[in-house]
């Protein structure tokens, strides 16, 4: 059965096209430096926003019109799974991601929930045999059910800790069964509301114990996917322990976990932490910890996670710059952890949202590639730090000097010459590259 009957396979029609259901810039087979756009961008559909969510917000019920809306329970789950593969094929997208509860309803007991999960995982496994679209990552939802009111691995209740362990154990088995290259940990309620009732040290120690047990279990069952931590500073808890990449990295290093994990960086989480998206990507990249990306955008006027489809070309350019400088995303991808607005309730909007996001990242890729090819920023940066390539600077970098020698050097200085950082010139250059790329692809 077709769920999106009026929609044909989305084709690349080029920038001249006015067809809302066509790619204008994302041309999957286009070659960028020896790799196709499809290989470099590794787009993924987030199951929860696209097939499970119904457009509810804290003030109102769902508005979404969905072709599976008349169904309930496991039949609804089966219809969504069926529809999802039709959607991936029509969009021609290589990956998808899910939480356990997105794909199958929770039962009255853990055993019933696992049985429901097995039913849908079995269906997905069959689809994967013939579908070009593969699983990018899966994860366990440990934040929706009331049992997680005080957290999962950081809950004050050892029973909740155990229940959470059982969920991740099952999640790792599913990841192995479906050949998932990554497994994600987003600490949904791993944080606190008030320090007045919180043993922060025990909670963080327990979180680390939980991660070590997950690493051990993956080894035990022979699951070799990449483990990813997804930082977020707040929401739903007031303070989340995985605040941002730097905090996450300190945590991983403190508990000897850094060799087992990388980061899944989400644009809107970066901005909630008071950082730019590219700051988080750069922090992960320079530490060899950039694993995957949740590609969305926030709203500068709103202080919460709005999970919008990414359309800001300046940001997609700077993000793709970091990703290309990282040598790509390896096993990771660009997952659209993004939802259409509540007012965009028609099924077509699901396609148009993804097309907008994919085209925006395709433009970002082209511009970033050109910036790197022409050595625009690297050349400038290299020159800016040239004082470290000779004389006393070289000695600092090589670790062959000390405070005595540096003092002598300073005493001998008659003047210190600084150069302009040229922020405005560089920003204007990025604009120029953006506009030139856009005009050169216009047919
Ligand atoms: C929540 C969020 C999650 C994770 C997966 O803000 O980003 O959907 O991506 O649990
Ligand atoms: Co996310």
């Amino acid at each position: 059965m077709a769920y999106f009957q009026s929609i044909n396979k989305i084709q690349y029609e080029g920038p001249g096209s006015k067809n809302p259901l066509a790619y204008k810039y994302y041309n999957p087979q286009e070659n960028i430096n020896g790799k196709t756009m499809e290989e470099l961008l590794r787009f993924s559909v987030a199951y929860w926003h696209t097939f499970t969510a119904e457009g509810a917000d804290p003030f109102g019920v769902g508005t979404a019109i969905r072709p599976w809306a008349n169904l309930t329970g496991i039949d609804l789950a089966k219809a969504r799974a069926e529809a999802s593969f039709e959607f991936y094929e029509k969009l021609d997208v290589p990956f998808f991601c899910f939480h356990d509860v997105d794909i199958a309803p929770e039962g009255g007991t853990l055993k019933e929930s696992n049985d429901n999960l097995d039913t849908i995982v079995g269906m997905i496994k069959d689809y994967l045999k013939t579908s070009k679209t593969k699983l990018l990552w899966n994860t366990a939802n440990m934040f929706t059910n009331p049992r997680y009111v005080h957290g999962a691995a950081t809950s004050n209740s050892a029973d909740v800790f155990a229940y959470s362990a059982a969920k991740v154990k099952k999640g790792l088995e599913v990841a192995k069964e479906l050949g998932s290259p990554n497994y994600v940990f987003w600490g949904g309620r791993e944080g606190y509301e008030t320090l007045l009732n919180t043993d922060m040290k025990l909670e963080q120690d327990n979180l680390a114990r939980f991660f070590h047990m997950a690493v051990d279990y993956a080894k035990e069952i022979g699951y070799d996917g990449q483990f990813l931590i997804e930082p977020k500073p707040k929401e739903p808890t007031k303070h989340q322990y995985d605040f941002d990449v730097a905090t996450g990295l300190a945590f991983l290093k403190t508990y000897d976990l850094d060799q087992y994990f990388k980061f899944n960086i989400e644009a809107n989480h970066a901005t909630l932490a008071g950082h730019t998206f590219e700051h988080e990507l750069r922090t992960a990249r320079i530490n060899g910890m950039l694993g995957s990306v949740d590609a969305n955008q926030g709203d500068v006027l709103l202080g919460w996670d709005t999970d919008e489809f990414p359309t800001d070309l300046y940001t997609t350019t700077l993000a793709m710059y970091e990703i290309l400088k990282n040598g790509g995303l390896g096993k990771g991808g660009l997952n659209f952890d993004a939802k259409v607005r509540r007012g965009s309730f028609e099924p077509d909007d699901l396609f148009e949202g993804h097309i907008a996001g994919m085209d925006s990242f395709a433009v970002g890729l082209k511009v970033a590639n050109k910036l790197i090819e022409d050595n625009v920023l690297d050349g400038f940066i290299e020159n800016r730090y040239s004082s470290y390539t000779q004389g006393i600077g070289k000695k600092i970098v090589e670790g062959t000097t000390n405070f005595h020698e540096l003092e002598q050097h300073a005493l001998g200085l008659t003047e210190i010459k600084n150069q302009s950082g040229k922020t405005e010139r560089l920003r204007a250059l990025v604009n120029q590259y953006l506009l030139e790329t856009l005009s050169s692809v216009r047919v």
Side-chain angles (χ1 to χ4, degrees), residues 48-49 137 184 186 230 264-266 269 294 296 305 307 335 337:
W48 55 100
H49 286 311
W137 52 259
V184 163
W186 171 57
E230 185 176 324
N264 180 39
I265 295 169
E266 179 161 330
H269 296 182
D294 269 9
N296 61 16
D305 201 9
D307 285 344
N335 171 49
D337 191 350

Side-chain angles (χ1 to χ4, degrees), residues 103-220:
I103 63 166
E106 280 197 278
T109 63
L110 180 61
K111 165 93 177 62
E112 271 174 39
S113 297
N114 285 348
D115 289 347
N116 288 345
L117 194 57
D118 285 338
T119 303
I120 306 299
V121 166
M123 258 180 92
I124 292 179
K125 199 173 174 185
D126 280 343
Y127 277 113
L128 290 181
K129 285 180 193 149
T130 51
S131 171
K132 165 186 157 177
T133 307
K134 306 293 175 207
L135 181 59
L136 182 69
W137 52 259
N138 62 308
T139 185
N141 175 325
M142 302 197 292
F143 43 90
T144 300
N145 190 292
R147 83 176 66 87
Y148 304 112
V149 61
H150 299 309
T154 65
S155 170
N156 56 301
S157 158
D159 286 344
V160 175
F161 185 103
Y163 201 102
S164 308
K167 292 259 283 180
V168 170
K169 177 176 178 286
K170 181 72 182 167
L172 293 171
E173 289 159 10
V174 167
K176 183 173 183 211
E177 190 161 355
L178 298 181
S180 183
N182 305 280
Y183 187 86
V184 163
F185 294 86
W186 171 57
R189 292 187 191 273
E190 312 292 33
Y192 65 81
E193 173 65 32
T194 171
L195 286 176
L196 297 176
N197 66 11
T198 301
D199 185 339
M200 194 197 236
K201 174 87 169 80
L202 178 67
E203 291 202 2
Q204 295 209 10
D205 287 352
N206 278 349
L207 185 58
R209 290 181 183 113
F210 191 92
F211 286 148
H212 273 292
M213 284 191 256
V215 167
D216 289 346
Y217 188 67
K219 274 190 199 151
E220 186 185 325

Side-chain angles (χ1 to χ4, degrees), residues 4 54 62-69 344-348 350:
F4 304 103
E54 291 162 351
T63 55
I65 298 170
R66 298 290 180 254
W68 48 82
S344 305
F345 48 76
E346 291 169 0
D348 289 18
L350 295 175

Side-chain angles (χ1 to χ4, degrees), residues 138-417:
N138 62 308
T139 185
N141 175 325
M142 302 197 292
F143 43 90
T144 300
N145 190 292
R147 83 176 66 87
Y148 304 112
V149 61
H150 299 309
T154 65
S155 170
N156 56 301
S157 158
D159 286 344
V160 175
F161 185 103
Y163 201 102
S164 308
K167 292 259 283 180
V168 170
K169 177 176 178 286
K170 181 72 182 167
L172 293 171
E173 289 159 10
V174 167
K176 183 173 183 211
E177 190 161 355
L178 298 181
S180 183
N182 305 280
Y183 187 86
V184 163
F185 294 86
W186 171 57
R189 292 187 191 273
E190 312 292 33
Y192 65 81
E193 173 65 32
T194 171
L195 286 176
L196 297 176
N197 66 11
T198 301
D199 185 339
M200 194 197 236
K201 174 87 169 80
L202 178 67
E203 291 202 2
Q204 295 209 10
D205 287 352
N206 278 349
L207 185 58
R209 290 181 183 113
F210 191 92
F211 286 148
H212 273 292
M213 284 191 256
V215 167
D216 289 346
Y217 188 67
K219 274 190 199 151
E220 186 185 325
I221 62 171
Y223 173 60
D224 62 359
Q226 172 68 59
F227 277 15
L228 300 168
I229 299 251
E230 185 176 324
K232 187 176 184 182
K234 53 190 164 194
E235 199 206 25
T237 63
K238 189 172 77 177
H239 181 99
Q240 306 256 145
Y241 292 133
D242 301 332
F243 191 94
D244 59 2
V245 172
T247 312
L249 190 54
F251 172 86
L252 292 174
K253 283 192 184 286
T254 302
Y255 292 101
D256 284 329
L257 283 160
D258 49 312
Q259 56 186 307
Y260 306 115
F261 286 82
K262 285 190 176 175
F263 289 100
N264 180 39
I265 295 169
E266 179 161 330
N268 205 167
H269 296 182
T271 49
L272 285 178
H275 302 308
T276 58
F277 185 19
E278 60 271 21
H279 167 95
E280 288 292 82
L281 293 167
R282 176 77 61 99
T283 307
R285 168 166 83 79
I286 62 175
N287 286 290
M289 298 293 273
L290 176 49
S292 199
V293 169
D294 269 9
N296 61 16
Q297 71 184 20
D299 186 312
V300 282
L301 302 180
L302 302 175
W304 59 91
D305 201 9
T306 60
D307 285 344
E308 295 173 20
F309 276 96
T311 49
D312 174 352
L313 301 179
Y314 199 83
T315 303
T316 59
T317 295
L318 297 184
M320 284 315 299
Y321 185 85
E322 296 304 323
I323 291 168
L324 289 178
K325 295 293 282 183
N326 192 57
L329 287 169
K331 291 180 173 191
L334 291 176
N335 171 49
F336 289 114
D337 191 350
K339 57 185 177 214
V340 287
R341 299 303 85 194
R342 189 165 181 266
S344 305
F345 48 76
E346 291 169 0
D348 289 18
D349 292 314
L350 295 175
F351 285 90
E352 293 188 32
H354 284 86
I355 291 167
M358 290 159 85
D359 273 341
S360 301
F361 265 93
V363 171
L365 167 63
K366 278 175 172 261
V367 184
N369 183 56
K370 197 87 184 88
L371 283 168
I372 293 170
E373 219 169 61
D374 291 359
N375 205 26
V376 178
L377 304 175
D378 274 352
F380 185 87
I381 290 173
E382 207 178 299
N383 185 42
R384 185 161 184 252
Y385 292 88
S386 59
S387 70
Y388 288 97
T389 59
Q390 71 232 319
I392 196 71
K394 192 161 185 238
K395 284 186 156 188
I396 292 171
V397 170
E398 287 172 351
T400 55
T401 188
N402 54 34
F403 269 17
H404 297 289
E405 192 182 11
L406 290 166
E407 183 188 42
Q408 283 311 307
H409 181 85
L411 287 168
L413 291 172
T414 46
E415 63 165 340
I416 291 180
K417 265 186 131 180

